[in-house]
Amino acid sequence: MIATSAAPSLLDVRNALRNAGLRQAEDHPGLPVVPEVETWASNGEIIIKIGVAPHERLGADAIPARVHDALLACGFGLSMTTRCDDTSDSRSPAAVLASGDAVAIICTR
């Protein structure tokens, strides 16, 4: 994917995921909710992580593809340039997201 200089906003990313029907902790403040996706800002980048594992909820194995599709539909993509753990592995951003690791969001518009 090609990144542009325009950075996505946290609100834009959360709205894209919300519009795709993905549950986020911010949608239910104060309630004990296991979010399907988690998003936060760190060092000027938007980071996303899958919040549930496939063995924790029926249908959770489809969440990475839903996240990827929702982001692409809004002009966003996944980047391996920044992650919360070791950046030396050669997996694709989508595979890293599916494995439960955090991935940065980039603007592909």
Side-chain angles (χ1 to χ4, degrees):
M1 293 178 213
I2 299 172
T4 67
S5 59
S9 76
L10 184 58
L11 182 61
D12 290 340
V13 171
R14 286 181 175 167
N15 284 337
L17 297 172
R18 187 173 293 114
N19 291 338
L22 292 155
R23 184 179 4 195
Q24 300 168 74
E26 301 81 19
D27 296 337
H28 307 281
L31 296 177
V33 173
V34 176
E36 293 174 328
V37 292
E38 301 172 40
T39 53
W40 65 93
S42 175
N43 297 323
E45 291 186 303
I46 306 302
I47 309 294
I48 188 168
K49 185 177 187 299
I50 300 297
V52 294
H55 66 276
E56 294 174 341
R57 185 178 299 154
L58 184 64
D61 54 338
I63 292 174
R66 288 176 56 202
V67 167
H68 191 255
D69 291 346
L71 293 173
L72 286 178
C74 292
F76 303 126
L78 303 172
S79 170
M80 294 293 287
T81 59
T82 303
R83 296 214 344 255
C84 294
D85 59 356
D86 179 23
T87 59
S88 64
D89 82 43
S90 60
R91 297 178 293 170
S92 72
V96 172
L97 184 66
S99 72
D101 290 331
V103 180
I105 304 299
I106 58 172
C107 184
T108 58
R109 295 177 195 178

